[in-house]
Amino acid sequence: MDNYTFDQLPQAMRLLHEKMDRLELLLTEHQPPQDTETIFNVTQAAAFLHLSVSTLYVKVCHREVPFNKRGKRLYFYKTELDAWVRKGRKKTVSEIQEEAGQHLLIGKGKA
C-alpha cells in the first residue's frame, strides 16, 4: 500500500475515480441481459412436456394445465409448466414409510 502526501491526495483521488469509472463501464457492458420469462405456444409447450398437441389441448380444455389465452391463441409460461410438473410428484416408498413412522411417533407421544 502506497503512502501519499497531502499534496498527492487530489491526484490519487482523480486516478481512483477514473479507475472506478472504467470498472463500472466494464461491469455494465458485460452484464448479462435480464432473464425474461419464457413463453411457449402450444407446439412448444407440448414438446416441453413431451405430450402430443392434441393431449395438451385436452388438458387445457379440462383446465388441468396452467395456460393463458389471448384471443384464440394459447400461451404457456415455462415456470408455470415446471411448477405444474413438480406438483405431480409422487412420494417414494421410503418417504411414505418415514412419514408413517413420524406419524406413529407423534401418536404415541399424545397417548
Side-chain angles (χ1 to χ4, degrees):
M1 186 155 167
D2 294 335
N3 292 327
Y4 295 102
T5 66
F6 183 76
D7 293 331
Q8 293 172 327
L9 283 178
Q11 182 182 358
M13 289 297 294
R14 183 181 54 77
L15 288 171
L16 181 62
H17 193 273
E18 288 173 359
K19 287 182 178 183
M20 290 295 290
D21 285 343
R22 284 193 302 256
L23 184 59
E24 184 179 24
L25 183 63
L26 284 172
L27 287 172
T28 55
E29 286 177 353
H30 290 90
Q31 191 173 24
Q34 294 280 336
D35 188 29
T36 57
E37 177 73 35
T38 303
I39 299 174
F40 293 144
N41 62 26
V42 174
T43 307
Q44 293 166 326
F48 176 74
L49 295 171
H50 303 285
L51 299 172
S52 68
V53 172
S54 60
T55 300
L56 182 57
Y57 274 121
V58 169
K59 291 190 176 298
V60 165
C61 183
H62 291 128
R63 297 186 181 268
E64 295 175 10
V65 63
F67 67 95
N68 297 281
K69 187 172 182 179
R70 295 295 289 179
K72 294 182 179 183
R73 300 209 182 258
L74 295 174
Y75 300 98
F76 303 85
Y77 286 103
K78 181 182 184 294
T79 55
E80 289 179 349
L81 294 177
D82 279 333
W84 177 74
V85 169
R86 291 178 196 279
K87 187 177 175 183
R89 182 183 181 276
K90 302 298 181 196
K91 294 179 183 176
T92 64
V93 171
S94 61
E95 289 172 332
I96 294 169
Q97 288 173 340
E98 185 178 330
E99 283 183 8
Q102 292 295 327
H103 183 70
L104 290 174
L105 287 175
I106 292 171
K108 287 181 180 179
K110 291 183 180 180

